[in-house]
Amino acid sequence: MQKYICNVCGYVYDPAEGDNTAGIPPGTPFEDLPADWVCPLCGVGKDSFAPVD
């Protein structure tokens, strides 16, 4: 599954890990994150993330 990086702080969302701070279970693709999900480190929205090469 594709990882995504925050363009502001460098946090990497890894679908294999999910985001336990927001109740996102492991195995959740970035595309399936809720529209109001924000970076757990700096609080920016999904539009500030880019796929990791």
Side-chain angles (χ1 to χ4, degrees):
M1 281 188 276
Q2 179 71 53
K3 294 180 183 179
Y4 281 75
I5 188 166
C6 177
N7 294 324
V8 175
C9 73
Y11 169 81
V12 175
Y13 175 76
D14 183 349
E17 296 178 10
D19 176 10
N20 62 1
T21 63
I24 306 297
T28 303
F30 186 81
E31 296 80 13
D32 291 347
L33 293 173
D36 61 350
W37 180 85
V38 295
C39 176
L41 296 185
C42 70
V44 298
K46 289 175 64 176
D47 59 342
S48 293
F49 280 72
V52 174
D53 292 333

